[in-house]
Amino acid sequence: MPTDFADRTDFENSAKGLIATLDPCIVEAADGRVVWDIDAYRFLDADGADTVDPSLWRQSQLTAKHGLFQVTEGIYQVRGLDLSNMTLVESDNGVIVIDPLISSETAAAALALYRQHRGNKAVTAVIYTHPHIDHYGGVLGTVEHDTTVPIVAPAHFMEHAVSENVYAGTAMLRRGVYYSGGELPKGPIGRVGMGLGSAASTGTVGLLAPTLEITETGQEEVIDGVRIAFQMTPGTEAPAEMNFLFPDHRALCLAENVTHNLHNLLTLRGAQVRDARNWSRYIAEAIEMFADRADVIFASHHWPTWGKDAIVAFLTEQRDMYAYLHDQTLRLLNQGYTGIEIAEHMELPPQLDAKWHTHGYYGSVSHGVKAIYQRYLGWYDGNPAHLWQHPPEQQAKRYVELLGGVEATVAKVREYAGNGDLRFAAELGSHAVFAAPDNSDARQALADVLERLGYGSENATWRNCFLVGAHELRNGNFHTPIEQGSGLAPAMSVTQLFDTISLRIVGPKAWDDKLSINWAFTDTGERYRMELSNGALVHHRTDKKVDADLEVTLTKVELLKLIATGSLEEIEARGDTSVWSRLLACTDAVDTDFNIVTP
């Protein structure tokens, strides 16, 4: 059953409750740099373009709608001022902020728009639904760094925020340039959106550590007079996530667990694989817990759904979608099919596929199935021929040699592209580029193929990946426009800060060196032991007093400065201070702009 372009329900719901827009909807940083510009998407007012899938154009029109909206009495959303939504719940003495966007600049603009129409209310609490940057990064645009208001989050929030955004943050941000299309020109031949929202802002990122953790389903809290009932949903859209009901408002927040598209089971920027089985079950639990108690549901992306019948139908279809993908993938992998094979033939049931909100604008059936396979069986497909393959450059040289050289390979790329087999043309083109990265014909041929793949993609993140790859082949490496690690550092624990050093140790450089450092923190009374041994930097909290090559006494603030500057000056240190220099000499610099589409 095809989806119905005449169905305007989503357009009606996305416009419902509009109070005001920001005009112009452009947000600048203190230095005048534009960090958000939704007005650049006005080209979506047209009916469509030959270079954009019609279904994706429709979704992009919806996600480009922006302004302050009333969800229900006492609950408001600012949508279209970042990739995510900011929700504001009025409380006895002010307003509770849910998910304060990515950047402090966009968060401040969203809060100012709310205050312009609802009064200058103080922020009385902040709630993070889960530890992805678009749900906490703008917190310092809503409260001061030394705020005493509650910062509410699901248990293990900090653990996963740091794991994803710091430990693997450099790689995720670089890959994120591809899947977000952040540096593409906005328009029908470039970026039209991300499916989940229009784009990610590029302002100042910060983080305040939670002061109130939600640990179990059924936990209830009263925050500045507002009753909230929580449901824990770990392993769904994030390793730590939660839904919650406002009983007195009959309004249910579904975080990022139920949105108006098929979500990622493994995001293209990289993350832990999500659990489709439990995702479905948590939606089922939400129906059971909350469907009779809610007149409206809203999420941290997209637009709300009103009315019990519509709510139950929406949740049920989302529940069934994740369950179907999970169960059918497991059924087929147990028959010996690999992830790629299963993904090639998997289709949603027609009655689900006919719904707009099951379409893969952000996630996809294809890479969702591969994620489920990976979760259970890992990267190896069981075929011994795939157990020890050459890396891309070495493979490329051999394939190009077999095909008769780079020129012959490029000719085959164009031949397959001309016959409509863009997928194999892209594979051959990648071999040509990896074998001869400076060959302009190879780069141009692959860029042409990737561009055509992008123009035909319903999935926004696939489109962006294809088009960014094409752009880099033609114009050179994009710069990664956002750095989030430094903004997170003040909220990180000492162990997590030490991890940022240990993860940069170049093992072979450190094989033959041994050193030890004792750290004493005067502000917390904590002591830590650090040893470089066999190329690994091991550190842990300790109460034992064991001699070390270097003894450092400092505060956590001084540790932040030490890591940032590398200098022990003005820090109390006893023993062999050259130990610190030796340790730093074993680390490497982070490359935020590493190559992806070329070697």
Side-chain angles (χ1 to χ4, degrees), residues 246-480:
F246 296 93
D248 298 328
H249 300 75
R250 295 186 61 82
L252 173 61
C253 175
L254 288 160
E256 203 167 325
N257 289 322
V258 180
T259 53
H260 289 272
N261 55 203
L262 167 59
H263 212 294
N264 281 309
L265 295 174
L266 180 57
T267 174
L268 301 182
R269 63 181 163 79
Q272 293 183 24
V273 179
R274 296 154 188 181
D275 189 341
R277 171 177 169 270
N278 278 342
W279 197 328
S280 173
R281 291 182 178 183
Y282 283 125
I283 297 174
E285 184 178 63
I287 295 171
E288 183 172 307
M289 289 180 65
F290 301 128
D292 290 334
R293 304 168 64 190
D295 297 325
V296 61
I297 59 173
F298 61 91
S300 301
H301 297 273
H302 299 150
W303 49 94
T305 298
W306 288 267
K308 180 179 178 180
D309 290 346
I311 288 170
V312 172
F314 181 34
L315 295 181
T316 300
E317 288 154 2
Q318 288 271 311
R319 177 200 69 187
D320 294 351
M321 174 178 65
Y322 293 115
Y324 185 89
L325 291 176
H326 175 272
D327 294 352
Q328 293 306 306
T329 300
L330 267 290
R331 179 180 68 84
L332 292 168
L333 73 81
N334 280 316
Q335 293 179 12
Y337 292 97
T338 66
I340 292 174
E341 291 169 333
I342 300 168
E344 188 68 12
H345 300 290
M346 180 72 73
E347 295 180 6
L348 288 176
Q351 60 270 27
L352 286 181
D353 191 50
K355 306 296 182 180
W356 287 110
H357 66 84
T358 64
H359 283 227
Y361 303 114
Y362 189 58
S364 75
V365 169
S366 177
H367 75 264
V369 166
K370 294 169 189 172
I372 296 167
Y373 185 95
Q374 178 181 321
R375 181 176 181 86
Y376 284 92
L377 295 182
W379 62 268
Y380 176 46
D381 65 5
N383 184 340
H386 301 154
L387 184 58
W388 193 30
Q389 293 174 286
H390 286 293
E393 287 179 76
Q394 298 304 315
Q395 276 194 6
K397 290 175 182 177
R398 287 160 173 79
Y399 277 108
V400 167
E401 181 183 358
L402 283 172
L403 288 163
V406 174
E407 289 184 7
T409 304
V410 172
K412 283 294 183 183
V413 171
R414 293 189 169 123
E415 179 183 331
Y416 277 98
N419 292 332
D421 190 350
L422 298 177
R423 294 163 66 181
F424 191 63
E427 186 172 340
L428 284 182
S430 183
H431 285 320
V433 168
F434 270 72
D438 295 327
N439 186 292
S440 59
D441 286 343
R443 295 172 75 103
Q444 184 62 47
L446 178 56
D448 290 344
V449 172
L450 295 180
E451 187 172 73
R452 287 177 62 187
L453 284 167
Y455 290 163
S457 178
E458 181 185 40
N459 181 286
T461 55
W462 284 35
R463 175 189 171 91
N464 291 337
C465 286
F466 288 134
L467 295 186
V468 171
H471 191 285
E472 288 206 339
L473 286 164
R474 290 173 176 146
N475 303 291
N477 195 310
F478 274 134
H479 171 63
T480 302

Side-chain angles (χ1 to χ4, degrees), residues 14 55 67 69 115 130 138 180 247 283 296 332 355 394 436 444 446 499 516 520-521 545 553 568:
S14 65
S55 177
F69 299 81
R115 285 173 168 163
H130 61 288
S180 69
I283 297 174
V296 61
L332 292 168
K355 306 296 182 180
Q394 298 304 315
Q444 184 62 47
L446 178 56
D499 280 341
S516 58
F521 289 87
K545 293 187 177 181
T553 303
L568 276 171

